[in-house]
Amino acid sequence: MKTSIRRNRRAAVAVALGSVLALTATACGDDGSGSAGDKGNEGSGKGEITFWDNNGGVRTDIWKQIISDFEKKYPGVKVDYVGIPAASAQSKYDTAIQGGGLPDVGGVGTAMLAEVAVQGALEPLDGRLAKSPLNGKLSQNLLASSKAAGGGDELYQIPTSSNNGTLWYRTDLFKKAGLDAPTTWEKFYTAADKLTDKGKNRFGFTIRGGEGSIAPALDAAYSQSGITSFWNGDKTTVNDPKNIAALEKYVALYKKDTPSADVNNDFTKMVAQWDSGTIGMLSHNLGSYQDHLKALGAGKFRGLPNPTQADGTRVQMSNPVDGLSLFKSSKNKAAAWKFVEFALSHEENSKFNQSAGQIPANTDAAKDAWIQKAEPTKLAAEALNGAGTKIVQLPYYLPDWNTISKADNEPNFQKVLLGKMSAKDFLNTLADQLNKAQADWKQNH
């Protein structure tokens, strides 16, 4: 049944692409109302362009500030802002690809990038970036994530920001127990055990067992094993013996050093549980900082990049990357690219990410004062851009990735926590699905 669903999904994309290519391009001026089959043109660099914000409502105010700044600098260009709720952004793009009405420029996250790109809707950006003042100013690790998410051949997204895995820990509890900060995996496991007192309902760690559990589990496995690539040729490394051993050690924390409720906890419940004040450590991204501050108060917690190996080697999974894409159908690509360059400039990218609470893609922006004052973000930015950091790129480009990493395997991970499935069987099952998806993608790419 699942195979049938995936085939139908791929068939739907193929039909959509065929429909797009069969569309007759209409004369749309510089209003961004083309379809994927329309090659567009450079335009005059002036006039109107349409921008779609793929997180409308949440980011509307900051984007309107950036647009206002842009129009002051370039009075010959007017930007029409369209805010789209994040939950409906993918379907909005798919509909426009088939029927027309694509913007000139829009927000396209890495989770949807490949599917939009494979339908022929996006402009390759390698050449434009090479000639741009932005060249050399953007995080190389984020650019690598953007390229990998688009399929690995061409750059279809200029990254604006990223989140990062963060290990939040209770500094007051660590101090009372005489523990060092959990900067390495050895210190992490020592702290998880020492901070646990089941009789007093105190635990060293909270593990994510509900929705969204696969990426954190893989992050923990690769970070400990030190394996730096998701693929070895056309075969995935997820079931490498080193990853199996690492995951076995990680899931052994469940119910020993974590609450039993963790098996069903998504990030919302997990964060709320940690904020209750009885748990020592929580692995979650930077986005939960304000929740912790409100619940615990300043001075009682700290956020570090996820632990390193004993020698300081840092391996981490790629996080979803926000970014801007240029649409091939645009009749005014010159003006649209001008907007992308402006939004990614030092000042504007810094302003955007301070509002979003994320890591700037512009490396100069990542050094700004507000980041230096926000220690978790500062450390995350340093880890992300550090020369010794190795990023394992998750295969966002696979059409089946979301199904494999959610519906297919979240229930299996719960079985692992409950002792009903071994970590080895779990990773072997995952590997088999990934290898088949990769082979299918290569055959049709």
Side-chain angles (χ1 to χ4, degrees):
M1 179 66 178
K2 289 172 182 173
T3 301
S4 176
I5 290 171
R6 290 175 194 155
R7 283 175 180 164
N8 288 342
R9 185 166 176 262
R10 285 193 292 270
V13 171
V15 170
L17 179 55
S19 299
V20 166
L21 296 176
L23 288 172
T24 301
T26 56
C28 303
D30 288 354
D31 63 358
S33 58
S35 62
D38 188 342
K39 294 183 179 180
N41 55 60
E42 283 297 300
S44 64
K46 296 182 179 180
E48 288 190 17
I49 58 171
T50 299
F51 165 63
W52 283 8
D53 172 11
N54 63 325
N55 200 1
V58 177
R59 303 279 183 253
T60 296
D61 289 345
I62 186 60
W63 273 120
K64 287 192 172 180
Q65 287 182 40
I66 292 171
I67 289 168
S68 177
D69 293 344
F70 175 76
E71 291 178 341
K72 287 175 184 175
K73 183 172 182 179
Y74 299 102
V77 184
K78 181 181 184 302
V79 180
D80 293 324
Y81 170 89
V82 178
I84 303 168
S88 57
Q90 174 78 66
S91 62
K92 179 77 172 177
Y93 280 125
D94 287 342
T95 299
I97 288 170
Q98 295 180 56
L102 285 167
D104 297 276
V105 59
V108 181
T110 47
M112 72 174 84
L113 185 64
E115 190 158 325
V116 177
V118 78
Q119 296 182 72
L122 301 180
E123 180 85 357
L125 299 174
D126 300 83
R128 292 178 191 269
L129 181 59
K131 300 173 185 176
S132 171
L134 292 175
N135 192 24
K137 295 291 186 179
L138 302 179
S139 165
Q140 290 302 306
N141 278 333
L142 289 189
L143 282 170
S145 293
S146 294
K147 180 166 279 194
D153 296 328
E154 295 181 289
L155 183 67
Y156 290 108
Q157 178 212 57
I158 300 297
T160 54
S161 56
S162 178
N163 227 317
N164 204 64
T166 301
L167 183 64
W168 302 99
Y169 73 101
R170 289 287 303 275
T171 50
D172 53 345
L173 299 181
F174 269 67
K175 184 177 180 181
K176 186 177 179 180
L179 289 165
D180 292 335
T183 52
T184 67
W185 281 103
E186 182 180 3
K187 291 178 179 179
F188 165 82
Y189 283 111
T190 297
D193 194 54
K194 190 167 184 180
L195 291 173
T196 298
D197 186 339
K198 292 182 181 179
K200 295 181 179 179
N201 198 36
R202 295 184 179 276
F203 298 92
F205 184 57
T206 174
I207 195 169
R208 187 168 180 169
E211 184 180 356
S213 61
I214 303 303
L218 293 181
D219 199 7
Y222 278 89
S223 181
Q224 293 175 81
S225 73
I227 296 170
T228 58
S229 177
F230 198 80
W231 301 101
N232 181 11
D234 291 331
K235 301 296 182 184
T236 182
T237 57
V238 293
N239 60 337
D240 183 284
K242 291 181 180 179
N243 277 334
I244 293 172
L247 188 63
E248 287 173 341
K249 188 173 183 180
Y250 185 69
V251 299
L253 292 171
Y254 176 65
K255 290 181 73 173
K256 181 174 80 73
D257 294 325
T258 81
S260 59
D262 280 355
V263 70
N264 293 312
N265 284 353
D266 58 12
F267 87 90
T268 304
K269 294 175 183 175
M270 189 175 61
V271 167
Q273 186 172 260
W274 190 73
D275 287 345
S276 70
T278 60
I279 300 174
M281 296 178 290
L282 160 74
S283 185
H284 189 244
N285 59 46
L286 294 168
S288 54
Y289 173 74
Q290 291 299 330
D291 292 328
H292 308 327
L293 190 62
K294 183 178 179 180
L296 302 172
K300 290 188 178 180
F301 71 95
R302 191 181 179 208
L304 298 173
N306 284 338
T308 68
Q309 295 180 43
D311 63 359
T313 300
R314 185 181 303 284
V315 179
Q316 63 184 56
M317 305 300 297
S318 58
N319 279 270
V321 177
D322 289 331
L324 297 176
S325 294
L326 194 63
F327 284 81
K328 192 175 291 184
S329 60
S330 170
K331 300 298 192 298
N332 202 347
K333 293 175 187 174
W337 177 248
K338 196 179 293 184
F339 177 71
V340 173
E341 287 184 318
F342 183 82
L344 267 296
S345 65
H346 177 169
E347 182 178 350
E348 301 300 321
N349 191 234
S350 182
K351 185 186 300 183
F352 176 84
N353 283 284
Q354 185 173 13
S355 172
Q358 295 186 324
I359 304 168
N362 186 303
T363 51
D364 289 333
K367 300 172 186 175
D368 280 355
W370 69 268
I371 285 192
Q372 304 310 308
K373 294 175 183 176
E375 186 193 40
T377 308
K378 173 179 177 287
L379 295 174
E382 289 173 351
L384 180 67
N385 296 315
T389 298
K390 305 297 182 184
I391 307 292
V392 180
Q393 302 294 346
L394 286 171
Y396 295 116
Y397 61 87
L398 290 178
D400 293 340
W401 169 246
N402 284 335
T403 301
I404 291 171
S405 64
K406 291 184 180 294
D408 284 3
N409 285 289
E410 285 178 355
N412 283 345
F413 186 67
Q414 290 180 315
K415 291 179 182 178
V416 175
L417 292 177
L418 294 170
K420 297 179 179 179
M421 187 177 196
S422 69
K424 182 177 181 179
D425 286 346
F426 167 72
L427 290 177
N428 281 338
T429 299
L430 179 60
D432 183 60
Q433 294 168 341
L434 287 165
N435 290 337
K436 288 176 181 176
Q438 175 75 351
D440 184 76
W441 180 81
K442 292 199 77 170
Q443 182 179 349
N444 294 285
H445 181 60

